[in-house]
Amino acid sequence: MRLATPTGFATEVFLQEAPEPDLLPEGSWTLVGDLHLREAWTGAGLPEPSHALWVAVSEEEKKLRTILPWLEHWARVPLHRDATVVALGGGVLSDMTGLASALYLRGVAWQVWPTTLLAMADAALGGKTGVDLAAGKNLVGAFHPPRRLVACTSFLESLPIRHLENGRWELIKTALIQGEMAWATEMLQDTPVKVPWVERALAYKAGVVHRDPREAGERRLLNLGHTLGHALEAASGYDLLHGEAVGLGLLGSCLLTEELGLKAFPSAFLEALAQRLAPLAPKIAPWSACLPLLLRDKKAKHVPGTAGAEPTTEIHCILPRSGEPAIQRTLTPEAWESPHARLIDLLDREATRA
Ligand SMILES: NC(=O)c1ccc[n+]([C@@H]2O[C@H](COP(=O)([O-])OP(=O)(O)OC[C@H]3O[C@@H](n4cnc5c(N)ncnc54)[C@H](O)[C@@H]3O)[C@@H](O)[C@H]2O)c1
């Protein structure tokens, strides 16, 4: 099923159960696929180009050194500038393949066939591609939207449950950005992930990135949960998955909203969030480990002190509001200290209760 997207949107979006060979590129193409998916791909009767690359994927190897041999391989094939690259995998593989496609011959077309819930609901759409540097995640990249996104839910059958739950947090984030409390509450329950949730998230993100492709304004809202989330993710030594860290960041943001006197969330909702997040409590790093990471946040701005005053740091933050759309605010990193402490308390309380 092709989803409706804004007129002139760079990516055609398909969401369906089974893969269809007709959705592959018409002309010459190649594939970069996650090894975990090779059997599912060939088992579904999908063609495998002779020069396909099947690769092992890990966040630790989301590096420039991983994509360099792919570029050399394409040049040896050789892959021409009118060819299309197909990326089959989760967010790590699609971010790297998208970047390699942006770099090869100064940019060739690509398609993305996301295979994790997180990639289907978020990472594969929007044209952000990239790799990590030692100094931080996704610090090198390019905006290079795929021509087509094909999300086939049958690929999720082999996805470990932890990764399914990881993707659920990006869906809950989407609901909270829009202030959609009923939808967020439904997703917090113990029901399996539903395809219409993914459809709704894709439709919302398509609209946002179409209006603000370069993240100059509205698109920043998609970073809800990411300020504290990124710090917790890095401070855990990436023991927390990206979506799990975003989930913790969402609860932290709801608590910060309350402290700033904005539209606070009902305690039953905060408890439902805390209940789902409670198993992650042992992975939450202390505030002393989070603060230096917040100071180095990509969205942090260092403001020189005037008239001999100390320089300060400000971070662009997104704050959710109960039943209303999220808003953007500039805050000091220290504003997160109390929500961080309350997050730990709430999760401990839920863990003791369980
Ligand atoms: N570009 C963006 O806008 C954007 C947005 C959000 C996240 N991201 C990036 O996405 C990455 C996280 O992506 P992810 O959560 O998809 O993780 P991932 O790509 O690391 O995949 C998770 C694990 O599942 C395996 N896997 C993938 N699909 C599978 C399947 N169907 N069955 C069995 N195993 C499967 C992978 O090999 C990997 O081991 C991060 O690097 C993050 O920075 C990018």
Side-chain angles (χ1 to χ4, degrees):
M1 170 182 59
R2 180 159 176 195
L3 302 190
T5 48
T7 311
F9 190 59
T11 306
E12 293 176 340
V13 181
F14 290 83
L15 175 62
Q16 50 199 63
E17 208 219 316
E20 273 173 37
D22 287 355
L23 292 174
L24 286 165
E26 279 174 9
S28 94
W29 63 283
T30 193
L31 176 82
V32 183
D34 183 325
L35 262 174
H36 284 114
L37 274 303
R38 190 170 189 174
E39 246 181 75
W41 182 263
T42 51
L46 293 161
E48 207 179 349
S50 56
H51 37 73
L53 291 166
W54 290 100
V55 297
V57 175
S58 72
E59 184 68 50
E60 294 73 47
E61 288 305 314
K62 192 182 171 190
K63 298 274 164 41
L64 276 172
R65 65 167 177 259
T66 303
I67 63 173
L68 202 53
W70 306 357
L71 299 170
E72 296 284 4
H73 172 72
W74 293 344
R76 272 194 309 271
V77 168
L79 199 67
H80 294 288
R81 64 176 71 245
D82 57 356
T84 302
V85 176
V86 174
L88 173 75
V92 168
L93 184 127
S94 58
D95 274 9
M96 289 198 292
T97 308
L99 179 60
S101 308
L103 295 173
Y104 184 68
L105 302 181
R106 298 195 185 88
V108 291
W110 70 298
Q111 285 191 358
V112 59
W113 292 54
T115 63
T116 62
L117 181 60
L118 183 135
M120 287 184 191
D122 189 17
L125 189 68
K128 279 192 188 177
T129 70
V131 292
D132 303 338
L133 292 181
K137 275 190 61 173
N138 302 323
L139 291 185
V140 171
F143 284 99
H144 187 48
R147 293 270 168 88
R148 182 175 284 171
L149 183 163
V150 185
C152 306
T153 51
S154 61
F155 286 136
L156 296 178
E157 283 162 18
S158 55
L159 190 68
I161 183 85
R162 184 178 173 200
H163 283 281
L164 263 180
E165 289 309 307
N166 184 49
R168 190 188 286 252
W169 290 111
E170 293 283 4
L171 293 167
I172 294 170
K173 176 199 81 174
T174 306
L176 286 182
I177 295 172
Q178 298 169 89
E180 299 272 5
M181 293 297 287
W183 185 28
T185 306
E186 184 192 352
M187 290 190 285
L188 280 172
Q189 281 156 18
D190 257 338
T191 47
V193 170
K194 295 182 184 152
V195 176
W197 297 350
V198 179
E199 185 179 340
R200 213 164 150 178
L202 283 171
Y204 173 71
K205 187 166 179 184
V208 173
V209 301
H210 186 63
R211 289 188 292 273
D212 179 19
R214 295 276 169 154
E215 199 169 311
E218 184 187 4
R219 186 168 180 171
R220 291 172 168 194
L221 292 172
L222 301 177
N223 294 325
L224 174 61
H226 283 62
T227 303
L228 185 59
H230 271 157
L232 291 170
E233 186 182 2
S236 75
Y238 296 96
D239 198 14
L240 281 170
L241 298 177
H242 179 73
E244 293 172 340
V246 167
L248 293 166
L250 288 177
L251 179 50
S253 310
C254 292
L255 297 170
L256 182 54
T257 287
E258 194 177 285
E259 292 183 8
L260 294 174
L262 296 166
K263 191 107 193 304
F265 288 83
S267 52
F269 182 77
L270 297 178
E271 272 165 29
L273 273 171
Q275 210 175 354
R276 223 173 220 293
L277 291 165
L280 303 176
K283 297 184 179 177
I284 301 183
W287 175 247
S288 57
C290 294
L291 181 59
L293 292 158
L294 283 168
L295 290 166
R296 281 186 359 224
D297 189 286
K298 262 191 283 186
K299 298 171 293 299
K301 212 165 74 188
H302 303 283
V303 186
T306 47
E310 289 289 308
T312 51
T313 302
E314 293 174 342
I315 307 187
H316 185 268
C317 301
I318 311 300
L319 294 165
R321 296 177 299 172
S322 179
E324 288 177 24
I327 53 165
Q328 313 197 22
R329 278 276 174 95
T330 301
L331 299 167
T332 62
E334 288 77 14
W336 290 97
E337 182 171 3
S338 164
H340 173 273
R342 287 177 63 205
L343 172 68
I344 293 177
D345 280 352
L346 264 176
L347 264 53
D348 282 350
R349 211 177 311 151
E350 285 303 325
T352 320
R353 203 187 290 184

